[in-house]
Amino acid sequence: MEPWLMWLIAAAVLAIAEVFTLTAALGLLAVAASITAASAALGLPVPWQFLVFALVATLSLLFVRPLAVRRLSPRQEARFGVDALVGKPAYVVSEVSAQGGRVRIGGEEWTARAYDETLVIPPGTTAEVVEISGSTAFIYPRE
């Protein structure tokens, strides 16, 4: 069997495997095998074919794959409004318990409750916003 045909078969097998894995790595190896098949069809000796495959595969996996993965990966959705406040630091202005209190979040003062009903958070403490319900921030003290 001709070497160029074996490289084309390898490229086809890698391309089919890429369809099932969606890793972008096997697809790039299929491209490298296709380029090697073309060089084999031009009469390049077998040891040089392996060198061409290794070089193209290495370069594409090092440089092209990170770009493809970054481009294809889902981006984190931007949070707006009160959803954007979850995870932000909150400065306790007046004592916060399960019954209520006041905190400052990003320059605005909010009514607050302790996320853990057994906690009492003293003024001056920095806490984290765990949840926002209506106009009340549920907070938990940072360690």
Side-chain angles (χ1 to χ4, degrees):
M1 185 180 287
E2 295 291 322
W4 64 268
L5 186 57
M6 290 192 306
W7 284 111
L8 276 181
I9 291 170
V13 169
L14 288 166
I16 291 169
E18 174 63 33
V19 169
F20 293 109
T21 62
L22 299 174
T23 61
L26 295 176
L28 292 173
L29 292 177
V31 170
S34 299
I35 292 171
T36 307
S39 68
L42 293 174
L44 196 65
V46 174
W48 287 98
Q49 292 173 24
F50 283 107
L51 182 65
V52 167
F53 177 77
L55 187 65
V56 172
T58 301
L59 291 176
S60 63
L61 288 175
L62 287 177
F63 296 109
V64 177
R65 186 176 184 277
L67 296 174
V69 168
R70 194 175 316 128
R71 176 81 178 188
L72 295 175
S73 65
R75 294 184 181 167
Q76 229 180 10
E77 300 229 358
R79 297 184 301 173
F80 297 99
V82 294
D83 290 336
L85 297 176
V86 174
K88 298 280 185 183
Y91 180 76
V92 178
V93 176
S94 66
E95 183 177 88
V96 176
S97 65
Q99 285 71 41
R102 304 284 295 170
V103 294
R104 185 172 306 279
I105 306 170
E108 296 178 343
E109 206 165 297
W110 286 72
T111 57
R113 290 190 189 153
Y115 188 71
D116 182 353
E117 294 178 0
T118 62
L119 291 177
V120 175
I121 306 167
T125 305
T126 301
E128 184 173 325
V129 178
V130 177
E131 178 183 342
I132 302 277
S133 178
S135 63
T136 303
F138 289 88
I139 62 168
Y140 194 82
R142 288 187 171 174
E143 294 179 9

